[in-house]
Amino acid sequence: MRSLLMNEILEKTREEIGNKKVIAAVSGGGDSTLAAHIARETGAEVFAVFVDSGLLREGEAERTEKYYREIFRDNFVFVDAGKEFFEALKGVIDPEEKRKRIGKKFVEIFERIAKEKGAEVLVQGTIAPDWIESGGQGRDRIKSHHNVGGMPETFLKVVEPLRDLYKDEVRELLKQEGIGSGLEDKQPFPGPGLAVRVLGEVTEEKIRVVRKANAIVEEVLDRSKKPWQYFAVLLPVKSTGVKGDERVYGVTIVIRAIDSTDGMSGSFSRIPYDLLEEMSSRITREIPECNRVVYDVTNKPPATIEWE
Ligand code: XMP
């Protein structure tokens, strides 16, 4: 049985889509998958579009592509766009500018696919914290979430079925709809991807480093009582270290692990020292460029969860 909430969302989304064809932007996360599912359940013709921005976690593009192909079959579109994104990010240091460039690139790609498919509507998985934190309605802007504040003008009609929901409600609906098994417990991942976890200019090389560090953080913490969200950040700071008998200047990796329920506030996770040590030794051993690992002990607020 569908809940009252789900029926209301379906009805409203059906009205907004009308009889138009739809492009649904999917990222592999719960929000966008639920939004695409809702669009399809209205009876509309929906093309699910997944963009590999080159800014994803280890193995994520392959896993996600496989997952969506099974659900959307011929209506799934995979876009390999790493080159385009690195080009768009060249020389950009300012975090807001990064988010804007990435948002612009995503929209450009969606418009391109929409033209190919004859679609006029873009369905996105925006949820309440995204637009609250992107400012508007008298709030100060904290960050431009790439699917809200950084969203440039588009000829597509944007429909956001989940814009009044919080993460825990999305998880509940996913469960109710019986879709995305495994997705409900997946940790959130920001739309702009690893680009907001590389402070300073984003390059393919730095993404490779942060991706590797992130995979280690996930591997180690997946075996423990998992925090709500946990990841690695690469700082544009070098410090002195010794590797073998040599004095080296290496890069710094931050481990960030947060306990939260909705991402609006949170406290740093009290993870055991032995796990911190395991992550630190693996990161410095397996990533030759890195000789220092620090743990972020800041709550939200005053810090945000992501570093940019
Ligand atoms: P912050 O860093 O604002 O993050 O405390 C709160 C939650 O939102 C995620 N996040 C994003 N999600 N697009 C998204 O879809 C974005 O631009 C974005 N920025 C942050 C973040 O990972 C955390 O779970």
Side-chain angles (χ1 to χ4, degrees), residues 27-65:
S27 69
D31 305 347
S32 63
T33 304
L34 182 63
H37 167 78
I38 288 169
R40 198 171 59 160
E41 289 297 294
T42 66
E45 182 167 7
V46 177
F47 297 93
V49 181
F50 173 67
V51 177
D52 177 0
S53 59
L55 305 167
L56 300 173
R57 287 166 292 187
E58 207 166 84
E60 192 171 17
E62 297 76 9
R63 267 196 312 277
T64 312
E65 179 181 6

Side-chain angles (χ1 to χ4, degrees), residues 135-150:
Q137 308 212 336
R139 292 170 200 269
D140 285 339
R141 166 173 293 186
I142 300 175
K143 291 174 191 179
S144 303
H145 281 228
H146 90 90
N147 49 358
V148 190

Side-chain angles (χ1 to χ4, degrees), residues 14 43 221 258:
R14 189 175 292 121
L221 293 184
I258 280 279

Side-chain angles (χ1 to χ4, degrees), residues 31 126-133 139 145 162 164-171 184 186-189 227-229 258-267 300-301 304-306:
D31 305 347
T126 314
I127 60 172
D130 301 342
W131 59 264
I132 291 169
E133 298 206 342
R139 292 170 200 269
H145 281 228
L162 314 177
D164 296 325
L165 304 190
Y166 286 83
K167 273 258 178 273
D168 44 340
E169 295 171 301
V170 169
R171 288 179 177 173
E184 315 92 52
K186 212 166 151 177
Q187 57 164 320
F189 185 65
W228 188 76
Q229 192 173 9
I258 280 279
D259 294 322
S260 174
T261 47
D262 56 10
M264 295 291 283
S265 63
S267 42
K300 175 182 179 176
T304 50
I305 295 176
E306 304 288 346

Side-chain angles (χ1 to χ4, degrees), residues 212 215-217 219-220 223 276-287 293:
K212 177 71 194 157
I216 295 172
V217 169
E219 269 168 46
V220 174
R223 300 195 325 257
L276 283 173
E277 184 176 20
E278 186 180 343
M279 289 186 278
S280 155
S281 3
R282 278 197 57 193
I283 289 169
T284 47
R285 201 173 51 236
E286 294 174 35
I287 304 174
V293 177

